[in-house]
Amino acid sequence: MSQITENVAAVRARVDAAAIKSGRRPEDMLLVAATKMNDPERVREAVAAGVDACGENRVQELLEKHPAGAYTGKPVHFIGHLQSNKVRQIVGIVDLIQSVDSEALLRKIDAQAEKHGVVQDVLIEVNIGGEEAKSGVSPDALEALLLCVGELQHVRVRGLMAIPPIAGEPGGNHDYFSAMHQLFVDIGAKKYDNVSMDFLSMGMSDDFEDAIACGANMVRVGSSIFGARNYTLK
Ligand SMILES: *Cc1c(COP(=O)(O)O)cnc(C)c1O
């Protein structure tokens, strides 16, 4: 068995165990492989090993790997910061854009999806740690953003996503994960038009079990599947 195949199995077992521990079903958890800096062949191995989706965080990389068949057979998500001038390049190609954080971006995606005759699923990224340099809408501005989704016919909000601050210690993001889950539950109860709270995307290699314990049903895992990224190569 290849290392990647082995790693996917190990991560999946941990996801399953975390789900059961929190009283939920393993089959309700979605494991998204964060594929950045891995070539199509390595991504295909993760797909074959049974991840539920691939998440790419640079448009350029996605556009190179997609035609190379890297994601074939599984949905592909965009999980990185999305510049509005790149929207055109990914709408209609990706199954889910996880990182939408402004009305302008929503409107741009809507317009592009209309051109393609599709409805684009998105998640709203929340800057739950209130970090200045980070993408994501602040929790205070979330309601206003969701209210404008009702008028858009080619975008559907399917849930929330968060990348909390880098934790200094294990369990360090517990409070952020819990706050996200509370938002997820509150918004779900309010029933905004065109908004359904199906997915709560949070948790990465270092903390996905904690995220699941707090209510995540979608985790984005990179290095625990592919090994440490070698940033000096690029
Ligand atoms: C890279 C990345 C991940 C995965 O990070 P790891 O710590 O390697 O698991 C998750 N989410 C986003 C948005 C990423 O860019």
Side-chain angles (χ1 to χ4, degrees):
M1 224 195 288
S2 87
Q3 193 62 56
I4 290 171
T5 304
E6 235 171 76
N7 291 347
V8 168
V11 169
R12 177 69 77 184
R14 288 169 58 194
V15 166
D16 289 358
I20 289 166
K21 206 171 156 190
S22 72
R24 289 175 305 149
R25 302 189 311 174
E27 57 268 38
D28 291 339
M29 303 296 127
L30 292 174
L31 171 57
V32 180
T35 48
K36 58 176 171 274
M37 301 177 72
N38 286 282
D39 63 23
E41 194 182 332
R42 292 169 60 78
V43 176
R44 271 195 295 271
E45 260 187 71
V47 166
V51 298
D52 296 303
C54 296
E56 205 62 73
N57 72 343
R58 287 182 55 228
V59 170
Q60 187 60 35
E61 263 191 76
L62 190 141
L63 294 178
E64 282 167 18
K65 290 184 221 175
H66 188 263
Y71 320 114
T72 304
K74 292 294 173 185
V76 58
H77 299 178
F78 189 74
I79 61 174
H81 175 64
L82 181 57
Q83 292 167 274
S84 59
N85 64 350
K86 302 256 169 92
V87 164
R88 187 174 51 79
Q89 298 176 276
I90 64 166
V91 168
I93 291 182
V94 299
D95 297 277
L96 183 69
I97 303 175
Q98 293 206 11
S99 42
V100 177
D101 63 357
S102 72
E103 182 175 341
L105 207 47
L106 276 171
R107 290 190 184 282
K108 203 133 204 178
I109 293 167
D110 183 65
Q112 192 63 29
E114 181 170 13
K115 275 188 205 166
H116 287 267
V118 297
V119 175
Q120 179 70 62
D121 281 347
V122 306
L123 304 183
I124 302 296
E125 181 177 354
V126 179
N127 184 358
I128 196 65
E131 295 171 283
E132 220 160 277
K134 249 203 193 134
S135 318
V137 61
S138 83
D140 295 341
L142 184 55
E143 278 207 51
L145 185 58
L146 292 172
L147 279 172
C148 87
V149 181
E151 353 164 343
L152 307 177
Q153 288 176 6
H154 296 87
V155 172
R156 195 164 51 176
V157 172
R158 303 292 307 275
L160 304 177
M161 181 269 234
I163 309 172
I166 293 169
E169 60 202 308
N173 278 327
H174 197 88
D175 291 350
Y176 292 123
F177 289 147
S178 294
M180 281 300 300
H181 184 247
Q182 195 58 52
L183 285 173
F184 182 76
V185 170
D186 291 347
I187 293 164
K190 284 186 184 162
K191 305 203 188 318
Y192 294 90
D193 285 346
N194 237 353
V195 174
S196 57
M197 288 293 114
D198 301 315
F199 305 118
L200 179 56
S201 172
M202 57 186 192
M204 317 204 290
S205 290
D206 287 339
D207 54 19
F208 65 85
E209 284 147 314
D210 197 23
I212 290 170
C214 295
N217 61 5
M218 182 182 279
V219 296
R220 310 175 309 268
V221 178
S223 45
S224 289
I225 290 175
F226 297 107
R229 289 178 288 275
N230 184 354
Y231 285 101
T232 60
L233 286 176
K234 284 227 166 175

